Amino acid sequence: MVSLKEENICKEAKMLLENMTLEEKIGQLVQYGRLKEAELQKLEAGKIGSFLNVAGADKVNKLQEKAMKSKNPIPLIIGDDVIHGYKTIFPIPLGESCSWDLKLIEETSEIAAEEASTEGINCIFAPMIDITRDPRWGRVAEGTGEDVFLASQIARAKIRGIQSNKWNDRPYVTACPKHFIAYGAAEGGRDYSAVDVSERCLRETYLPPFTAALDEGAYTIMCSFNDLNGIPSSANKFILRKILRQELGFEGLVISDWESIEELIYHGIAKDKKEASLKSIEAGVDIDMHSGSYEEHIHALIDEGKLDKELLDEAVLRILKVKIALNLFNNTYTDTSLSKKVIRSTKNVEKALEAARKSIVLLKNKDCLLPLNKNIKSIGVIGPLAEDKVNPLGCWALKGEPKQVTTVLEGIKHKLKSETAVYYEKGCNINSDLEGGIDRALELAKKVEKVVLVLGESSDMSGENHNRAYIGIPEAQKKLLKALHSENIPVVLVLMNGRPLTLTWEEENIPAIIEAWHLGDESGNAIADVIFGDYNPSGKLTMSFPRCEGQIPVYYNKKNTGRPNFKKYLDVEETPLYPFGYGLSYTQFNYKNIKLSSKKIKQDEKLTITAEIENVGKIAGDEIVQLYIRDMVASITRPIKELKGFKRVHLDPGECKEIKFEITAKELGFYDEYFNFVVEKGDFKVWIGPNSIQGLKENFEVI
Ligand code: NOJ
């Protein structure tokens, strides 16, 4: 993608601006989220600059035509929430992050953007790169987990994918990383709640994925709904002007979240939409998503001398530059025949299967109950999600179609020979009992050789403002599970959910647990592949699973505290049930021979760390090898571990590979007391291991 700093882009934008009336300039700031007759007329008068929630090449072309009919023709930005696929639905982002596969993530993002582009969309409201450490928050499903390093790498991969733009016959697509900033720190996991985080926490935890996304060339960014340390993001000059523009040098455009400018009134920092508009534009929000505030009030604010015209011009210039960079002026329209060729092509659906398989995390497999043998004579598939085509799509699968989803029951049937008896029983509903359901499930379970139970959350139990205070398997389903357990029926538990769940009882009592998230279109096929061993699971968790809700937030890279050995709770261990980075395989990997290129490195030097990983099991598998470090003594307290590298490696049985990581001393730096980035001398520990709590250890020193 071209840089927004390029001279000809700036020149062209300025020339356009010079010819625009005040009304037309304001129009560029206006984004509508619904299309009605009145809007069509405004379009021709150049009073709307962008839309969301409209799609389809034909429909969008007509809108573009209207915009191009105005005296000063300026094409439209067409935004959309393409969160985990457009019409080919991939796993929810939290699930896909468990693949730790950056190439795959880039590819699925590219497919999503390409499909969307054939329907006239040129701005994708993704990736969501908020760090998420509170599983009660419904939006953890949309993010990539708790870790800053991993989330930043994924942010880069997604921007590369979304903005790959390998065509010249239609507008390019820009990503819109969101939500700037610290939205994931909402109090108590309650969406939209206030966020109060220190500047250190903001810079160390929430900012890096955005820095990465901008460095990768995102043209737009969305600010968040939340109040941040007393000033909602949509009016927050510190984050939007100082950090984003001055420090990060962002040249692209900032778009508000849905009606978040008007919401400044409810936050209590503006008495009306006029004051809200003034605060937002002064803070640097360029586009008003759907609240109508800018449309109604910017003109008056300028006439009354309250708003500096220069600020309006700056905002318009930024928008124009993005439109030029997206090639919208040359390629305004989209060929209506394209979508048929691109959407849900065989290649795209195959990628959805790969992504779904790689997102699955095997949490428990006592006595190698899994994989099941395909030669079994009978199997019972039980549970409210076993035959479900809607919920596996997950939240924000707006254009996803249930008919494209393979259920677990279908996936299992595809796998087995026709003579195998496959029975199904629902057992209960997702959130309520089903009359006689448990009895029928028990009866079925007793007559079959193996039982697969598919439980979890519906797609609307996560996502925007779908938070939960109790994050276990819903009660009605838990009853079903306990009934089967009380009859000593060994079940394979498959979980579909949009967040980490509390699974303490399940871990103690159920022999095999597969975390399958909401995997999208290919859910059933991918799950069946894992159940019968056609795919050896390799996913690793990107959010810690708490033992109970009272432990939240629980994440691996906490601080040591002055009393690390004191028990933190009287009634539960401090550790998570399943830690960050955890996931099993059907084979076993042995880690050995950790080696450092040197025990001492200078501040401008590189350190090479190697270890050997051997597949000591009987089948081939992929392992996600993780590198962590700890700065033992620094001028600022540092986390007990920080992920600094990871590699996916494929190993055949008996195969051993040396895995090599390189880190520069710069990667060991942090912000000092005055927020200068420093690399301090001193001792470090380094681990190479299969997750955040195990691994081979070494020491080195920065001199
Ligand atoms: C609100 C959500 O917070 C945001 O993520 C989304 O992009 C917009 N609505 C538009 O749908």
Side-chain angles (χ1 to χ4, degrees):
M1 300 274 278
V2 293
S3 158
L4 295 175
K5 285 189 189 137
E6 255 184 40
E7 219 186 297
N8 41 359
I9 294 193
C10 299
K11 233 168 135 188
E12 198 181 330
K14 271 194 195 127
M15 271 162 55
L16 284 166
L17 185 81
E18 272 164 22
N19 292 322
M20 288 167 78
T21 63
L22 183 59
E23 289 301 324
E24 286 167 339
K25 288 180 185 174
I26 295 169
Q28 287 306 302
L29 275 45
V30 177
Q31 179 170 79
Y32 268 97
R34 286 186 202 109
L35 186 60
K36 294 195 196 124
E37 197 45 47
E39 275 90 65
L40 293 178
Q41 280 160 26
K42 285 185 196 166
L43 252 185
E44 288 188 24
K47 289 182 177 171
I48 298 178
S50 54
F51 276 98
L52 73 148
N53 298 333
V54 286
D58 203 26
K59 205 167 176 184
V60 172
N61 285 345
K62 281 188 186 133
L63 292 181
Q64 296 286 20
E65 252 167 47
K66 292 220 179 276
M68 297 310 274
K69 263 194 203 150
S70 66
K71 248 203 244 138
N72 242 329
I74 299 175
L76 298 160
I77 286 180
I78 305 290
D80 202 19
D81 289 295
V82 181
I83 309 299
H84 52 111
Y86 184 66
K87 286 191 177 164
T88 306
I89 301 297
F90 302 109
I92 53 166
L94 179 61
E96 196 185 48
S97 70
C98 295
S99 71
W100 301 52
D101 188 332
L102 300 176
K103 183 169 166 277
L104 168 81
I105 292 172
E106 183 174 333
E107 285 166 348
T108 58
S109 302
E110 184 179 329
I111 290 173
E114 194 189 3
E115 286 193 358
S117 77
T118 67
E119 299 229 317
I121 289 154
N122 53 43
C123 174
I124 283 182
F125 300 141
M128 185 188 109
I129 50 178
D130 303 309
I131 295 293
T132 60
R133 293 182 171 175
D134 191 330
R136 291 170 296 184
W137 192 45
R139 300 200 83 166
V140 303
E142 295 170 58
T144 54
E146 70 186 43
D147 184 63
V148 177
F149 179 82
L150 179 61
S152 302
Q153 300 286 321
I154 294 181
R156 284 184 183 277
K158 290 197 176 197
I159 302 293
R160 281 197 300 272
I162 294 173
Q163 299 194 167
S164 61
N165 293 316
K166 293 184 182 150
W167 54 81
N168 278 315
D169 57 354
R170 56 193 185 278
Y172 294 137
V173 174
T174 171
C176 181
K178 63 190 187 182
H179 307 82
F180 199 71
I181 190 170
Y183 184 35
E187 265 177 4
R190 295 182 291 274
D191 208 1
Y192 318 133
S193 290
V195 167
D196 204 327
V197 294
S198 68
E199 186 175 344
R200 175 162 304 284
C201 174
L202 192 71
R203 289 183 183 276
E204 285 184 354
T205 304
Y206 293 98
L207 191 57
F210 285 95
T211 310
L214 299 187
D215 189 47
E216 209 58 66
Y219 284 159
T220 77
I221 204 165
M222 188 186 294
C223 61
S224 56
F225 282 126
N226 56 282
D227 168 349
L228 176 72
N229 302 338
I231 304 180
S233 300
S234 311
N236 197 315
K237 288 185 185 149
F238 175 67
I239 59 160
L240 296 178
R241 293 240 176 242
K242 177 150 190 312
I243 297 187
L244 187 63
R245 300 268 179 223
Q246 275 176 34
E247 294 180 22
L248 301 181
F250 180 55
E251 299 274 330
L253 68 89
V254 174
I255 177 164
S256 79
D257 203 339
W258 182 270
E259 294 183 338
S260 70
I261 296 181
E262 181 177 354
E263 286 176 10
L264 296 179
I265 302 171
Y266 314 110
H267 278 290
I269 66 155
K271 68 175 186 309
D272 50 28
K273 278 168 99 171
K274 191 170 181 182
E275 195 179 353
S277 303
L278 184 60
K279 290 203 164 185
S280 282
I281 195 160
E282 280 185 345
V285 180
D286 303 316
I287 291 186
D288 173 4
M289 188 192 285
H290 200 73
S291 90
S293 308
Y294 281 0
E295 183 184 17
E296 290 160 31
H297 299 289
I298 296 283
H299 204 311
L301 285 166
I302 286 181
D303 285 352
E304 291 161 20
K306 290 186 180 140
L307 173 65
D308 188 346
K309 262 193 200 147
E310 286 277 299
L311 284 186
L312 172 65
D313 283 359
E314 280 173 20
V316 178
L317 264 182
R318 287 193 283 262
I319 297 165
L320 293 174
K321 281 201 285 180
V322 171
K323 290 186 175 184
I324 297 165
L326 291 178
N327 210 10
L328 269 170
F329 288 87
N330 301 322
N331 266 339
T332 315
Y333 305 102
T334 307
D335 180 342
T336 50
S337 69
L338 270 175
S339 61
K340 263 207 194 101
K341 289 179 222 151
V342 172
I343 287 178
R344 287 192 56 78
S345 66
T346 312
K347 153 183 113 27
N348 295 3
V349 176
E350 277 169 10
K351 200 44 77 181
L353 176 62
E354 181 190 341
R357 287 163 149 188
K358 287 183 169 166
S359 303
I360 293 174
V361 184
L362 181 64
L363 296 177
K364 187 175 175 193
N365 193 17
K366 194 174 166 213
D367 301 330
C368 299
L369 176 60
L370 285 167
L372 300 184
N373 191 323
K374 279 185 211 157
N375 293 325
I376 49 173
K377 297 209 165 45
S378 62
I379 184 166
V381 186
I382 301 175
L385 287 159
E387 208 201 10
D388 189 322
K389 281 185 173 284
V390 176
N391 291 301
L393 286 170
C395 60
W396 286 110
L398 305 178
K399 311 261 180 340
E401 290 184 58
K403 69 168 192 255
Q404 307 292 3
V405 172
T406 322
T407 67
V408 178
L409 183 63
E410 286 166 348
I412 288 177
K413 280 185 179 164
H414 293 161
K415 270 292 131 191
L416 298 171
K417 293 187 202 122
S418 55
E419 55 267 32
T420 313
V422 183
Y423 302 98
Y424 161 70
E425 191 57 63
K426 193 171 181 190
C428 63
N429 298 312
I430 290 175
N431 274 308
S432 61
D433 296 338
L434 193 65
E435 220 190 314
I438 292 188
D439 292 342
R440 287 193 297 276
L442 285 176
E443 204 179 299
L444 165 59
K446 283 178 196 161
K447 75 173 185 200
V448 292
E449 223 175 293
K450 297 285 177 206
V451 174
V452 172
L453 187 60
V454 192
L455 305 181
E457 298 181 313
S458 56
S459 55
D460 61 3
M461 285 167 80
S462 58
E464 188 178 339
N465 203 23
H466 289 112
N467 320 309
R468 295 177 69 200
Y470 298 102
I471 56 167
I473 295 175
E475 239 359 87
Q477 299 181 61
K478 190 102 177 220
K479 259 204 274 178
L480 171 65
L481 177 63
K482 286 193 168 171
L484 289 162
H485 175 256
S486 68
E487 297 284 342
N488 290 323
I489 295 163
V491 299
V492 170
L493 175 60
V494 175
L495 293 168
M496 291 183 177
N497 41 283
R499 59 159 60 69
L501 302 174
T502 48
L503 300 170
T504 303
W505 184 89
E506 291 77 359
E507 166 63 27
E508 275 164 21
N509 296 290
I510 303 300
I513 310 177
I514 294 173
E515 176 51 78
W517 310 109
H518 291 134
L519 291 178
D521 291 345
E522 289 297 305
S523 291
N525 289 330
I527 293 167
D529 282 344
V530 165
I531 291 177
F532 293 100
D534 285 342
Y535 183 78
N536 185 358
S538 57
K540 304 252 188 178
L541 298 178
T542 57
M543 267 185 96
S544 307
F545 274 41
R547 293 171 191 275
C548 62
E549 291 83 0
Q551 281 186 317
I552 297 170
V554 59
Y555 51 91
Y556 82 95
N557 55 345
K558 56 184 182 162
K559 297 288 181 78
N560 203 36
T561 80
R563 295 188 167 183
N565 299 323
F566 278 45
K567 212 168 158 6
K568 297 291 187 300
Y569 296 105
L570 295 174
D571 46 4
V572 68
E573 278 178 58
E574 189 197 357
T575 55
L577 181 67
Y578 302 119
F580 175 82
Y582 169 84
L584 303 173
S585 163
Y586 292 152
T587 188
Q588 295 80 43
F589 301 103
N590 184 28
Y591 284 65
K592 56 187 186 189
N593 291 334
I594 183 167
K595 281 189 203 141
L596 305 181
S597 56
S598 166
K599 283 284 211 178
K600 293 181 197 285
I601 53 164
K602 294 199 186 116
Q603 278 158 314
D604 56 355
E605 280 178 353
K606 257 190 207 159
L607 176 70
T608 306
I609 310 142
T610 55
E612 286 171 34
I613 323 294
E614 187 180 4
N615 182 348
V616 291
K618 291 195 178 62
I619 58 167
D622 285 10
E623 169 71 332
I624 297 163
V625 183
Q626 300 159 42
L627 175 90
Y628 295 89
I629 60 118
R630 175 169 177 188
D631 188 343
M632 299 307 291
V633 182
S635 57
I636 298 290
T637 59
R638 305 301 305 144
I640 57 166
K641 260 186 184 181
E642 289 177 272
L643 183 75
K644 290 288 171 185
F646 59 88
K647 280 196 178 142
R648 247 189 110 91
V649 49
H650 179 83
L651 291 166
D652 287 327
E655 195 181 5
C656 181
K657 277 187 188 159
E658 187 184 73
I659 303 300
K660 186 162 125 187
F661 293 98
E662 276 188 344
I663 46 173
T664 56
K666 192 165 173 254
E667 289 167 76
L668 307 170
F670 57 86
Y671 295 105
D672 72 5
E673 197 180 346
Y674 305 103
F675 293 105
N676 299 309
F677 190 79
V678 290
V679 180
E680 290 183 348
K681 294 178 179 169
D683 292 334
F684 287 79
K685 271 201 175 103
V686 58
W687 292 260
I688 292 187
N691 56 53
S692 60
I693 57 166
Q694 292 170 304
L696 305 171
K697 193 164 69 185
E698 256 295 0
N699 303 309
F700 68 93
E701 194 187 340
V702 175
I703 52 171

